[in-house]
Amino acid sequence: QVQLVESGGGLVQPGGSLRLSCAVSGSIISINAMHWYRHAPGKERELVAAITSGGSTNYADSVKGRFTISRDNTKNAFYLQMNSLKPEDTAVYYCNAEISLWIALSRRTGDYWGQGTQVTVSS
């Protein structure tokens, strides 16, 4: 099976930076679109950033110009560089990807999620 693990979250002051990583492991055939979501208490889950297999990116208006999503196909990993962080960015951040993999000698494609990493922006 496939596993996604986020890392890089923590406590940071307003204006600071963090870099989140998502490592993907398993019998992977290919990783297609990759996404970062966040979920803050009392708010709906929000798509923060997305990157396609071709490298095209898209961002939520609230983070555009501050966050950058990237991927490293060699390492089966993708990242979210977060700069100029604001208290409003406080949330649990989740990586998500559409992945094709081998299961019981059969090709399967599905949507997979990491466990989440906490980002807290506070002075």
Side-chain angles (χ1 to χ4, degrees):
Q1 279 282 359
V2 65
Q3 183 175 3
L4 280 66
V5 179
E6 301 98 333
S7 62
L11 175 64
V12 64
Q13 293 184 338
S17 298
L18 286 173
R19 181 178 174 86
L20 305 183
S21 299
C22 183
V24 184
S25 61
S27 300
I28 299 169
I29 299 174
S30 63
I31 303 176
N32 302 319
M34 301 175 176
H35 311 89
W36 285 99
Y37 288 84
R38 66 186 181 187
H39 194 182
K43 297 182 178 180
E44 299 293 327
R45 187 182 64 189
E46 176 186 24
L47 175 62
V48 175
I51 185 167
T52 68
S53 59
S56 298
T57 59
N58 195 25
Y59 300 92
D61 289 340
S62 59
V63 307
K64 190 172 296 183
R66 300 187 296 120
F67 291 10
T68 303
I69 187 172
S70 61
R71 62 190 292 170
D72 186 336
N73 293 331
T74 301
K75 297 182 178 180
N76 284 336
F78 58 107
Y79 312 92
L80 184 68
Q81 178 66 46
M82 304 184 295
N83 299 324
S84 301
L85 284 163
K86 305 174 181 179
E88 305 93 279
D89 296 319
T90 296
V92 178
Y93 284 71
Y94 299 89
C95 61
N96 163 271
E98 183 184 75
I99 302 172
S100 296
L101 67 158
W102 292 107
I103 299 179
L105 305 180
S106 180
R107 180 190 176 102
R108 303 285 180 88
T109 300
D111 195 50
Y112 294 88
W113 293 83
Q115 82 290 342
T117 185
Q118 177 70 49
V119 172
T120 302
V121 184
S122 176
S123 58

